[in-house]
Amino acid sequence: MTIQLTRRYSFAAAHRLHIPRLGEEENRRIYGKCNNPYGHGHNYVLEVTVSGPVDPATGMVAHLGELDHFVEREVLEAFDHKNLNEEIAAFRERVPTTENLCIEIYNRLRSFPAARLARVRLEETSLNTFEYSGETDGSPS
Amino acid sequence: MTIQLTRRYSFAAAHRLHIPRLGEEENRRIYGKCNNPYGHGHNYVLEVTVSGPVDPATGMVAHLGELDHFVEREVLEAFDHKNLNEEIAAFRERVPTTENLCIEIYNRLRSFPAARLARVRLEETSLNTFEYSGETDGSPS
Amino acid sequence: MTIQLTRRYSFAAAHRLHIPRLGEEENRRIYGKCNNPYGHGHNYVLEVTVSGPVDPATGMVAHLGELDHFVEREVLEAFDHKNLNEEIAAFRERVPTTENLCIEIYNRLRSFPAARLARVRLEETSLNTFEYSGETDGSPS
Amino acid sequence: MTIQLTRRYSFAAAHRLHIPRLGEEENRRIYGKCNNPYGHGHNYVLEVTVSGPVDPATGMVAHLGELDHFVEREVLEAFDHKNLNEEIAAFRERVPTTENLCIEIYNRLRSFPAARLARVRLEETSLNTFEYSGETDGSPS
Amino acid sequence: MTIQLTRRYSFAAAHRLHIPRLGEEENRRIYGKCNNPYGHGHNYVLEVTVSGPVDPATGMVAHLGELDHFVEREVLEAFDHKNLNEEIAAFRERVPTTENLCIEIYNRLRSFPAARLARVRLEETSLNTFEYSGETDGSPS
Amino acid sequence: MTIQLTRRYSFAAAHRLHIPRLGEEENRRIYGKCNNPYGHGHNYVLEVTVSGPVDPATGMVAHLGELDHFVEREVLEAFDHKNLNEEIAAFRERVPTTENLCIEIYNRLRSFPAARLARVRLEETSLNTFEYSGETDGSPS
């Protein structure tokens, strides 16, 4: 009996979408106002889904406290109230779009020991959400 | 690395659920107050999910502006502030239930060129939601 | 000890904003797409606030069941799944804007016997809300 | 053309997480404040998803009234405004975690005759959600 | 320049509405299913509003950390994951309706030193909210 | 018959809370992680409430299009996808707390010609909201 647990977190961060090797005009064309030179920010809502059998003794798929502790240590501590471009190593070379942020968070969480990481869902605004479940369908991981 | 982007839109429309070849009583039995003769309406919330690899240069799965423009042109312009029974050709012969509306929207959006249409989700009220992902499992499209 | 109780209801209705004595163009200028000839509709969210002392015996300001019954009978039965222009007498002569709808609902609810009607709040979409508390500030009723 | 309908319900219940054969300290370690001796409670939000072809005549996957009646009779009547530990037979032997509650609800709803039960999703608080879709992937039911 | 700050908290608790000196039938008539003998529970959402001038140096009306600490100590520690009837002294003699709970919380918070307590708003379910601002209109405190 | 119209907008911006004349340690003590040197950001939700009589001809308190145009020009254009510290003149000398931001927005909107500005409400995160209605109670402006 596999059950999925989804836990909701949030963090506030600043970022700027910009590809250094392209010119201002090209960046503006690709990213619009997200390319504004001084940056802007969001309240990101993060939903982490883990999946596994229910422990017959405790009736739990994973201990919420453990999951919170893991997400806090691997993700929130690094990203909350930070500037993604300036303070996260992964975004020195990659543009901190929400797509890339979602994959970065997935990779930081995939080693959660108590249950299998099934999915990371990241809301950039109430209108845009991104979801990543690891490798493409059917591919080995 | 396949990622899903879900974008949220909304439109307001009127409709009436009614099968012309059946009598009043039979229609009332099937549709209840949704069969009211003068129609009623909803704020439909539409979530469009597209899926694809993240472009390594831009870090994006699809350009939000392009998706917005496509959904605006193919769906919102036709449906927003309209009467579905009177103004949408597809509903001259089919009842404009939210199921049929969801499939109609999916079909209008499946040719989105920049990423694969994965799913259309349509909220009729905060209590009812319908979701369509194209053909039945395993069937060719 | 005056306390306020706010209870949330909803109803779905169709309407068209149109002033018959003005021409098509003038109506279009005033109401934009809300003037579409075949009507459109909304899921209206209605919040009714009543106010009064807490009954020392029961600990309640008003019985929720009584309030529900009153709102059902005075408002929801008449408005839910209806066409406001065609089926509500008050809107034969007044345009069924959400402003006028909010005032009409307030007037239908002001005689609630068990507590004083303090305010009616009506959400037309998640972006627009209207609120009416009766007479203008300081005026006698 | 398979479509999914998700309908949202809610119920309020009390529970206590406690394994009788373990000591107080061990229970406290596992369940934290959810082990409080006098119980606590939640507003559970239940989303039931059923799936099936759209009836070409009615344009519906299932009749909402029928689904509501079934969920009311099989789940809400038993669980709403109840104490899960004291009043639900299934939780005399199993701990009423939201995982177990989600599975119990799924089992009560799987015989819904008008469409296939696809998924039960149960929100314990706005931060925690559990989802169960029946057997593990690929297993016969 | 008076500004209002509203901060949102939540807690989960069990309660039963029952007046011991009245009979079962009378209690059932007044409280309906809220009178169920084994209790039930809710996720209460608490909004605390404080009001005051903006400090010209810091630009703040009150320090969020101080407010959180105060609400945690005076309210959440006592009420979260508790049974209101059994574990809160105030509800030994008064019925723990949300009206009474709202007033009890207001009284516990009124001595907040850093800004004036303006209002306590308590959501029992997403459909019912109660609000208390202290004394009756125009009365001296 | 005075009615209130509340319209919801949003914008994304970066900021840093910091008082230049104070030391790092003192700033850290006052603002905590909001003082992070590289800034962070939020999706601000802005609710603008205007108040006035309902025009008997049109049934409207104000034209939504006019209000949107005014808020767009006076506030959103300047603040959306910007860095408040770097790009808004008012925050060269004042700390861009949400309190100060709320007052700044109120002052930019108070000259709305079509109805009286009653209130500006600004949500910094889903847990914190600030509200400003102009002068202190009863004081002349």
Side-chain angles (χ1 to χ4, degrees):
Chain A
M1 288 187 311
T2 296
I3 205 161
Q4 289 193 325
L5 152 63
T6 297
R7 182 86 166 154
R8 200 175 171 92
Y9 304 91
S10 62
F11 61 93
H15 74 158
R16 183 200 183 191
L17 302 187
H18 185 75
I19 301 174
R21 68 168 195 280
L22 300 180
E24 284 303 311
E25 205 178 321
E26 183 66 359
N27 269 294
R28 196 70 188 175
R29 195 188 56 75
I30 299 172
Y31 296 120
K33 59 190 177 180
C34 296
N35 180 246
N36 269 359
Y38 296 96
H40 63 281
H42 298 289
N43 300 323
Y44 293 95
V45 177
L46 168 64
E47 288 187 359
V48 176
T49 300
V50 299
S51 163
V54 177
D55 181 316
T58 65
M60 297 193 298
V61 61
H63 197 285
L64 284 183
E66 269 179 60
L67 180 58
D68 287 358
H69 183 75
F70 190 79
V71 174
E72 178 65 36
R73 196 186 68 200
E74 300 298 326
V75 175
L76 302 181
E77 227 167 69
F79 292 178
D80 189 26
H81 282 74
K82 294 291 167 60
N83 183 310
L84 301 177
N85 304 59
E86 303 290 338
E87 301 177 79
I88 303 292
F91 299 122
R92 297 231 174 256
E93 317 214 332
R94 263 176 297 149
V95 190
T97 56
T98 311
E99 285 93 330
N100 281 338
L101 184 52
C102 191
I103 294 169
E104 174 69 19
I105 289 172
Y106 181 92
N107 289 335
R108 285 169 177 243
L109 295 179
R110 66 190 312 172
S111 61
F112 179 59
R116 190 178 68 81
L117 179 65
R119 187 169 59 241
V120 162
R121 206 171 161 281
L122 193 58
E123 218 180 282
E124 185 188 17
T125 73
S126 61
L127 302 181
N128 301 336
T129 305
F130 297 85
E131 196 173 308
Y132 183 60
S133 314
E135 308 313 309
T136 53
D137 311 316
S139 302
S141 68
Chain B
M1 287 186 312
T2 296
I3 205 161
Q4 289 193 325
L5 153 63
T6 297
R7 181 86 165 153
R8 199 175 171 91
Y9 304 91
S10 62
F11 60 93
H15 73 157
R16 184 200 181 191
L17 302 186
H18 184 76
I19 301 175
R21 69 169 194 280
L22 300 180
E24 285 303 312
E25 206 178 320
E26 182 67 359
N27 269 293
R28 196 71 188 176
R29 195 187 56 75
I30 299 173
Y31 296 119
K33 58 188 178 182
C34 297
N35 179 245
N36 270 359
Y38 297 96
H40 62 282
H42 298 290
N43 300 322
Y44 292 95
V45 177
L46 168 65
E47 289 187 359
V48 176
T49 300
V50 299
S51 164
V54 176
D55 180 316
T58 65
M60 297 193 298
V61 60
H63 197 284
L64 283 184
E66 267 178 61
L67 180 57
D68 287 358
H69 183 74
F70 189 79
V71 174
E72 177 65 36
R73 197 185 67 200
E74 300 298 325
V75 175
L76 302 182
E77 227 167 69
F79 292 177
D80 189 26
H81 282 74
K82 293 293 167 58
N83 183 310
L84 302 176
N85 303 59
E86 304 289 339
E87 301 178 79
I88 302 293
F91 298 122
R92 298 231 173 256
E93 317 214 332
R94 262 176 298 149
V95 190
T97 56
T98 311
E99 285 92 331
N100 281 338
L101 185 52
C102 191
I103 294 170
E104 173 69 19
I105 290 172
Y106 181 91
N107 288 335
R108 285 169 177 243
L109 296 179
R110 66 190 312 171
S111 62
F112 179 59
R116 189 177 69 81
L117 179 65
R119 186 170 60 243
V120 163
R121 206 173 161 281
L122 193 58
E123 218 180 282
E124 183 188 18
T125 73
S126 61
L127 302 180
N128 300 336
T129 306
F130 297 85
E131 197 173 307
Y132 183 60
S133 314
E135 308 313 309
T136 53
D137 311 317
S139 302
S141 67
Chain C
M1 287 188 312
T2 295
I3 205 160
Q4 289 194 325
L5 153 63
T6 297
R7 181 87 166 153
R8 202 175 171 92
Y9 304 92
S10 62
F11 60 93
H15 74 158
R16 183 200 181 190
L17 302 187
H18 184 74
I19 302 175
R21 68 168 195 279
L22 300 181
E24 284 304 311
E25 206 178 319
E26 183 67 359
N27 269 295
R28 196 70 189 176
R29 196 188 55 75
I30 298 173
Y31 296 119
K33 58 188 176 181
C34 296
N35 180 244
N36 269 359
Y38 297 97
H40 62 283
H42 298 291
N43 299 322
Y44 292 95
V45 177
L46 168 64
E47 289 187 0
V48 175
T49 301
V50 299
S51 164
V54 176
D55 181 315
T58 65
M60 298 193 297
V61 61
H63 197 285
L64 283 183
E66 268 179 60
L67 181 58
D68 287 358
H69 183 75
F70 190 80
V71 173
E72 177 65 36
R73 196 185 68 201
E74 300 298 324
V75 175
L76 302 181
E77 228 168 67
F79 293 178
D80 189 26
H81 282 73
K82 293 292 166 60
N83 183 310
L84 302 177
N85 302 61
E86 304 291 338
E87 302 178 77
I88 304 292
F91 298 123
R92 299 235 172 252
E93 316 214 332
R94 263 176 297 149
V95 190
T97 56
T98 311
E99 286 93 329
N100 280 339
L101 184 53
C102 191
I103 293 170
E104 173 69 18
I105 289 172
Y106 181 91
N107 288 335
R108 284 169 178 243
L109 296 179
R110 66 191 312 172
S111 62
F112 179 59
R116 189 177 69 80
L117 178 66
R119 186 170 61 242
V120 162
R121 207 172 160 281
L122 193 58
E123 220 179 280
E124 185 188 15
T125 73
S126 61
L127 302 180
N128 300 336
T129 306
F130 296 84
E131 195 173 308
Y132 183 60
S133 313
E135 310 312 308
T136 53
D137 311 314
S139 301
S141 68
Chain D
M1 287 186 312
T2 296
I3 206 161
Q4 288 193 326
L5 152 63
T6 297
R7 180 88 165 152
R8 201 175 171 92
Y9 304 91
S10 62
F11 60 93
H15 73 158
R16 184 199 182 192
L17 302 186
H18 185 74
I19 301 175
R21 70 169 193 279
L22 300 180
E24 284 304 311
E25 206 178 320
E26 183 67 0
N27 269 294
R28 195 70 189 177
R29 196 189 55 76
I30 299 173
Y31 296 119
K33 58 189 177 180
C34 297
N35 180 245
N36 268 0
Y38 297 97
H40 62 282
H42 298 289
N43 300 322
Y44 292 95
V45 176
L46 169 64
E47 289 187 359
V48 176
T49 300
V50 298
S51 164
V54 176
D55 180 317
T58 64
M60 298 193 297
V61 61
H63 197 285
L64 285 183
E66 268 178 61
L67 180 58
D68 287 359
H69 183 75
F70 190 79
V71 174
E72 178 66 35
R73 196 185 67 200
E74 300 297 326
V75 175
L76 303 181
E77 227 167 68
F79 292 178
D80 189 27
H81 281 74
K82 294 291 166 60
N83 183 308
L84 301 177
N85 303 59
E86 303 290 339
E87 301 177 78
I88 304 292
F91 299 122
R92 297 233 174 254
E93 316 215 334
R94 263 176 297 149
V95 190
T97 57
T98 312
E99 285 92 329
N100 281 338
L101 185 51
C102 192
I103 294 170
E104 173 69 18
I105 290 173
Y106 180 92
N107 288 335
R108 285 169 178 243
L109 295 179
R110 67 190 312 172
S111 62
F112 179 59
R116 189 177 69 81
L117 179 66
R119 186 170 60 242
V120 162
R121 207 173 160 280
L122 193 58
E123 219 180 283
E124 183 187 18
T125 73
S126 61
L127 302 180
N128 300 337
T129 305
F130 297 84
E131 196 174 308
Y132 183 59
S133 314
E135 309 312 309
T136 53
D137 312 316
S139 302
S141 67
Chain E
M1 287 187 314
T2 296
I3 205 160
Q4 288 193 326
L5 153 63
T6 297
R7 182 85 165 155
R8 200 175 173 91
Y9 304 92
S10 62
F11 60 94
H15 74 157
R16 183 200 181 190
L17 302 187
H18 184 75
I19 302 175
R21 69 168 194 280
L22 300 181
E24 284 303 313
E25 206 179 319
E26 183 67 359
N27 269 294
R28 196 69 189 178
R29 196 188 54 76
I30 298 173
Y31 296 120
K33 59 189 177 181
C34 297
N35 179 245
N36 270 359
Y38 297 97
H40 62 283
H42 298 290
N43 300 323
Y44 292 95
V45 176
L46 168 64
E47 289 187 359
V48 176
T49 301
V50 299
S51 163
V54 176
D55 181 316
T58 65
M60 297 194 298
V61 60
H63 198 284
L64 283 183
E66 268 179 62
L67 181 58
D68 287 358
H69 183 76
F70 190 79
V71 173
E72 177 66 35
R73 197 185 67 200
E74 300 298 324
V75 175
L76 302 181
E77 227 167 68
F79 293 177
D80 190 26
H81 282 73
K82 294 291 167 60
N83 183 308
L84 301 177
N85 303 60
E86 303 290 340
E87 302 178 79
I88 304 293
F91 298 122
R92 299 233 171 252
E93 317 215 331
R94 263 177 297 148
V95 189
T97 57
T98 311
E99 286 92 329
N100 281 339
L101 184 53
C102 191
I103 293 170
E104 174 68 19
I105 290 173
Y106 180 92
N107 288 335
R108 284 170 179 243
L109 296 179
R110 68 190 311 172
S111 62
F112 179 59
R116 188 177 70 79
L117 179 65
R119 187 170 60 243
V120 162
R121 205 173 162 281
L122 193 58
E123 219 180 281
E124 186 189 14
T125 74
S126 61
L127 302 180
N128 301 336
T129 306
F130 296 85
E131 196 174 308
Y132 183 59
S133 313
E135 310 311 309
T136 53
D137 312 314
S139 302
S141 69
Chain F
M1 289 188 312
T2 296
I3 205 160
Q4 289 193 327
L5 153 64
T6 297
R7 181 86 165 154
R8 200 174 171 93
Y9 304 92
S10 62
F11 60 93
H15 73 159
R16 183 201 182 190
L17 301 187
H18 185 75
I19 302 175
R21 69 168 194 278
L22 300 181
E24 283 304 312
E25 205 178 322
E26 182 68 358
N27 269 294
R28 197 70 190 175
R29 195 189 54 76
I30 299 174
Y31 297 120
K33 58 188 176 180
C34 297
N35 180 245
N36 269 0
Y38 298 97
H40 62 283
H42 298 290
N43 300 322
Y44 292 95
V45 177
L46 168 64
E47 288 187 359
V48 176
T49 301
V50 300
S51 163
V54 177
D55 181 316
T58 64
M60 297 194 298
V61 61
H63 197 285
L64 283 183
E66 268 179 60
L67 180 58
D68 286 358
H69 183 75
F70 190 80
V71 173
E72 177 66 35
R73 197 186 67 201
E74 300 297 325
V75 175
L76 302 181
E77 227 168 68
F79 293 177
D80 189 26
H81 282 74
K82 295 291 167 61
N83 183 310
L84 301 177
N85 303 60
E86 303 291 339
E87 301 177 79
I88 303 292
F91 299 121
R92 298 233 172 254
E93 317 215 331
R94 262 175 298 149
V95 190
T97 56
T98 311
E99 285 93 330
N100 280 339
L101 184 52
C102 192
I103 294 170
E104 174 69 19
I105 289 172
Y106 181 93
N107 289 336
R108 285 169 178 244
L109 295 179
R110 66 191 311 171
S111 62
F112 179 59
R116 190 177 69 80
L117 179 66
R119 187 171 58 242
V120 161
R121 206 171 160 283
L122 194 58
E123 218 180 281
E124 185 188 16
T125 73
S126 61
L127 301 181
N128 300 337
T129 305
F130 297 85
E131 195 174 308
Y132 183 60
S133 314
E135 309 313 309
T136 52
D137 312 314
S139 301
S141 69

